[in-house]
Amino acid sequence: MKRPTFRRCGTAPGALSPEDQAVVDQFRAMLTAVRNPQPWTPGGSQDIAVRVGPFVERAHTRPGDDHGPEMIAVALVHPDTPHAAGYLHGRRLGYTERGWLRCETSAILGVWQPGYAMLTHAAANLSLPVDVGMELAHYALYIEARRRDDSLDGFTLLRVGPYTQTRHAQQDYDRLTATLEGRETTAVPGFRVSARYAPFDVSDHQLFVDPYEADAVALLDAAVAGVSA
């Protein structure tokens, strides 16, 4: 974990200046936060402190997608959120461009405390790295038809996404898999049809059907009917 370096102003010995006292208070708050983390509880809807390389960052959890025992969705935010100055500084350092990210719960230190602010990229006036170690937390389902001769020949029958909550994607995946059970080799003659759960490819967004505007099973049936017609 990155440790900040403090330097006392070159003033005469004696009582600390207000500026020096503020730095000392911040340092003490940081030590308290590091030594006494406040446990995070899944589904608690509280900002959390997460490790990003040698730094610690503040993150919002996404309601409804913060229950996973191993993975949740978060958005990295400037430590001074929601103040306007923090937003402007965060925008310059790349905090506002990330969107929702997949965060392993093992990277969570605990509930966010102001003392962690000194350990952030923002405190060092550094931009967030291109790779923060977290993938985008948008998901999609790909229904694919592959030839039954074990070759890789085939095509994508249907793309559904983006899902903004992992549990919604999982629910539709389970429904589609159950629907295909017993007919995965007959739905499209000569092909084996299966559903695949994967990150949403935003560059191909025009190829996807919005999962929140239609029923996934009905979309599957329509796609199969279209191929068979």
Side-chain angles (χ1 to χ4, degrees):
M1 183 181 296
K2 183 179 177 65
R3 300 297 183 188
T5 300
F6 299 96
R7 190 171 295 169
R8 177 90 189 273
C9 297
T11 56
L16 293 176
S17 68
E19 293 79 9
D20 285 346
Q21 186 61 57
V23 171
V24 170
D25 291 343
Q26 288 178 325
F27 183 70
R28 287 173 174 166
M30 182 272 289
L31 289 179
T32 298
V34 172
R35 292 172 177 171
N36 301 287
Q38 297 178 16
W40 168 75
T41 301
S45 300
Q46 294 175 291
D47 282 1
I48 57 176
V50 298
R51 298 184 187 89
V52 177
F55 293 84
V56 174
E57 295 295 338
R58 181 179 181 179
H60 290 328
T61 57
R62 183 161 66 189
D65 210 8
D66 57 353
H67 293 72
E70 298 180 356
M71 191 81 66
I72 64 171
V74 304
L76 299 179
V77 297
H78 189 279
D80 291 336
T81 299
H83 302 297
Y87 173 80
L88 293 174
H89 192 220
R91 185 174 183 180
R92 182 168 66 82
L93 298 180
Y95 281 82
T96 61
E97 309 299 326
R98 302 287 166 162
W100 294 105
L101 303 169
R102 300 177 65 192
C103 175
E104 295 182 359
T105 54
S106 59
I108 300 173
L109 297 178
V111 174
W112 173 260
Q113 301 180 56
Y116 289 123
M118 298 191 72
L119 303 177
T120 64
H121 285 81
N125 204 30
L126 295 174
S127 296
L128 287 175
V130 174
D131 182 6
V132 295
M134 304 180 196
E135 297 179 358
L136 291 175
H138 289 165
Y139 301 88
L141 297 179
Y142 299 79
I143 293 78
E144 300 171 331
R146 294 284 180 258
R147 289 199 176 276
R148 294 165 59 185
D149 58 4
D150 293 329
S151 70
L152 297 179
D153 293 338
F155 60 95
T156 300
L157 187 64
L158 177 67
R159 295 174 174 86
V160 185
Y163 290 89
T164 58
Q165 295 191 11
T166 56
R167 63 189 180 92
H168 293 166
Q170 186 65 54
Q171 288 169 356
D172 276 357
Y173 173 81
D174 292 342
R175 292 180 62 220
L176 290 169
T177 300
T179 299
L180 287 169
E181 186 175 0
R183 55 182 287 222
E184 68 272 12
T185 60
T186 60
V188 179
F191 292 82
R192 181 183 299 276
V193 180
S194 63
R196 179 169 62 90
Y197 177 75
F200 173 70
D201 188 349
V202 69
S203 63
D204 291 333
H205 64 90
Q206 71 279 3
L207 301 176
F208 289 80
V209 180
D210 190 334
Y212 296 103
E213 294 184 357
D215 180 77
V217 174
L219 291 172
L220 171 64
D221 290 340
V224 169
V227 172
S228 303

